[in-house]
Amino acid sequence: MEKLVITGGKRLEGIIEISGAKNAALPLMCTPLLTDEPVVLTNLPRLADITTLTDLLNHLGVTVTIAGGDGTGSGGRSLTFDASNIADTVAPYDIVRKMRASILVLGPLVARMGEATVSMPGGCAIGNRPIDLHLKALEALGAVIEMEDGYVRASAPRGLTGGEVRFPFVSVGATENILMTAALAKGTTTIENAAREPEITDLAKCLTGMGARITGAGTETITVEGVEKLHGTTHAVMPDRVEAGSYAVAALMTRGDLLLKNARSADMQAPLDVLAEAGAIISSEADGVRVKSNGNLQGFNIVTQPFPAFPTDMQAQFMALASVADGASVITEAIFENRFMHVPELCRLGADITVNGSSATIRGVNSLKGAQVMATDLRASMSLALAGLVADGDTVINRLYHLDRGYERLEDKLRAVGAQIERVND
Ligand code: UD1
């Protein structure tokens, strides 16, 4: 079993290059299902979730090859996806259980092939996470939905027709699924209360490059004029705002100074505002965002909400920050009902945190103390790594597969800016 061993107390300084965004790459990798021409995606991160989705696409008959050069080197990997021959429309349990985002193949497959069957998804254990909004949206475009033996089947024997989709609350995944589907439906689809996350805008940009007619992406009303056929394109995956935000927290926690190369401040304004309130000096540079400690670290309050408000994917990392800030902080998780699993692990390192329903009160302590901890989900793992960077002595993080789902070369990137961190195999 691999573990990360972090010896805390090092100030981080230097440049960290931010990778392509996992959460943008996953929906983007489903767009080739909509066309018989090749789609090239550049700046793809090397992450376990990307491999899982590649396996699923291969299973469906999509050929995935390295595009140009050897596909390695900085700037991420470029892959060509060729879905000219879709061989299967069933996404099986064995692949889907590894990653919830597999549900994103459902809409594109129905739109192109007239039917699709996807195992009910698994993924991070952060609450119940149903897919009802995805299914209702597909029904609004004329798909017939059936559930059997843990699988959901969507079919549209007479094709899909544009319709009105009004989400009762914001869902990133459901917005992405229906956006891809509507691109090939007959007529106009309007999506009300659509997610406004930058990953939606990135997806719409790629689809538009494929010939889709989309207006309003990035606002709460998106309109899609269906077209008969989409064509191939080349699209660069946007930089990962959650990875950038996580390293921004590392800069402040270690009283350091990091340039997050490629990061875009407009994608992460809410977390940057909280960091500034807590004690960071933030500047937008030509090639990224610089985060530098002003020497102080003050407590803060956060409520997670859909974009542009504070993202749930940064909640755990900011809780690590609050653990060592002056005074008390209150963090309320309003998106997922079970996303405080990092709390007992942070407490093992000496944090003082009390959870009451969906709110956690964190009383900053003078120092954390290294210990053995267990990563429970992707972002929780990162909060433990951040805590380890400032804890006295060694912090040992077990169950690294969660981290490897979402952070590319974490230990290399941190070591290059001064952290003492090692991956060991015992
Ligand atoms: C995406 C992100 C994830 C992030 C989340 C919220 C990807 C691959 N994952 O997940 O990292 O934490 O957005 O920003 O991009 N819900 C339903 N029914 C549905 C769909 C969602 O009730 O059909 C609920 C969820 O349980 C949750 C809320 O809606 O409480 C928001 O979830 P959603 O935005 O859909 O998250 P994901 O797209 O799964």
Side-chain angles (χ1 to χ4, degrees):
M1 277 279 260
E2 286 191 327
K3 300 171 174 197
L4 269 188
V5 181
I6 305 173
T7 309
K10 307 279 186 257
R11 179 175 183 270
L12 301 190
E13 187 172 354
I15 301 173
I16 294 185
E17 191 166 323
I18 300 307
S19 299
K22 168 181 88 73
N23 284 356
L26 296 173
L28 287 168
M29 286 169 69
C30 297
T31 61
L33 292 168
L34 294 162
T35 174
D36 57 10
E37 293 182 18
V39 171
V40 178
L41 296 177
T42 66
N43 200 32
L44 281 163
R46 291 174 186 80
L47 295 171
D49 273 10
I50 302 296
T51 310
T52 303
L53 186 53
T54 303
D55 290 346
L56 176 55
L57 293 171
N58 283 154
H59 171 90
L60 299 173
V62 181
T63 314
V64 184
T65 48
I66 291 171
D70 61 357
T72 58
S74 70
R77 198 153 50 145
S78 302
L79 296 176
T80 302
F81 300 79
D82 181 342
S84 49
N85 287 308
I86 292 182
D88 197 343
T89 55
V90 180
Y93 172 77
D94 273 351
I95 303 178
V96 175
R97 73 181 167 85
K98 294 188 194 156
M99 192 185 59
R100 181 185 158 75
S102 310
I103 191 67
L104 293 173
V105 302
L106 186 64
L109 277 177
V110 192
R112 168 108 174 269
M113 305 299 287
E115 55 119 18
T117 305
V118 176
S119 174
M120 297 290 281
C124 267
I126 48 173
N128 192 13
R129 301 188 81 172
I131 54 163
D132 55 322
L133 299 184
H134 297 245
L135 303 183
K136 284 202 183 100
L138 286 174
E139 278 178 334
L141 268 58
V144 177
I145 306 288
E146 294 155 297
M147 311 276 232
E148 209 180 321
D149 301 333
Y151 279 77
V152 47
R153 179 168 192 272
S155 55
R158 272 169 272 113
L160 293 165
T161 41
E164 269 193 31
V165 176
R166 181 179 292 273
F167 289 120
F169 51 89
V170 171
S171 163
V172 177
T175 302
E176 290 164 345
N177 223 340
I178 207 62
L179 187 58
M180 291 188 278
T181 313
L184 279 186
K186 274 186 219 91
T188 306
T189 297
T190 51
I191 309 170
E192 301 279 358
N193 204 16
R196 289 181 280 164
E197 270 65 4
E199 291 77 12
I200 304 283
T201 314
D202 205 35
L203 176 63
K205 196 172 152 198
C206 176
L207 289 168
T208 303
M210 296 170 70
R213 297 212 194 119
I214 299 168
T215 51
T219 74
E220 56 193 25
T221 305
I222 304 178
T223 306
V224 187
E225 300 275 350
V227 295
E228 218 164 278
K229 219 171 158 4
L230 292 171
H231 51 76
T233 193
T234 296
H235 179 84
V237 179
M238 64 173 277
D240 196 318
R241 62 192 171 106
V242 183
E243 188 198 20
S246 302
Y247 291 129
V249 170
L252 184 53
M253 274 180 96
T254 65
R255 306 288 208 267
D257 182 357
L258 292 177
L259 174 67
L260 310 167
K261 198 174 162 203
N262 305 331
R264 304 191 304 210
S265 56
D267 292 346
M268 45 194 288
Q269 203 51 57
L272 290 179
D273 287 348
V274 177
L275 286 175
E277 184 192 331
I281 302 164
I282 292 162
S283 49
S284 277
E285 315 264 323
D287 53 349
V289 176
R290 184 170 172 196
V291 180
K292 186 180 167 187
S293 164
N294 71 7
N296 298 315
L297 184 44
Q298 296 295 329
F300 48 83
N301 297 330
I302 286 173
V303 181
T304 66
Q305 291 289 351
F307 191 85
F310 192 93
T312 173
D313 283 351
M314 292 294 303
Q315 181 257 107
Q317 300 89 316
F318 274 70
M319 196 175 291
L321 178 66
S323 299
V324 289
D326 289 340
S329 302
V330 177
I331 297 183
T332 302
E333 171 56 56
I335 307 280
F336 293 110
E337 76 269 27
N338 188 20
R339 210 171 194 184
F340 281 147
M341 288 179 300
H342 42 286
V343 169
E345 300 302 304
L346 286 172
C347 291
R348 285 173 60 77
L349 298 172
D352 178 354
I353 306 171
T354 318
V355 173
N356 190 356
S358 62
S359 286
T361 303
I362 305 104
R363 289 180 186 80
V365 294
N366 285 334
S367 63
L368 298 172
K369 192 151 178 19
Q372 292 260 353
V373 285
M374 187 84 83
T376 49
D377 71 49
L378 171 54
R379 306 305 170 187
S381 315
M382 189 61 185
S383 79
L384 300 176
L386 291 167
L389 289 173
V390 298
D392 296 334
D394 286 356
T395 297
V396 181
I397 305 181
N398 297 281
R399 285 205 195 152
L400 286 192
Y401 54 85
H402 288 297
L403 260 181
D404 292 339
R405 284 188 43 219
Y407 289 91
E408 186 178 45
R409 297 186 295 106
L410 172 91
E411 62 272 27
D412 296 346
K413 290 189 184 189
L414 284 173
R415 207 179 300 117
V417 292
Q420 194 172 334
I421 178 168
E422 242 184 298
R423 186 179 287 247
V424 296
N425 210 330
D426 66 354

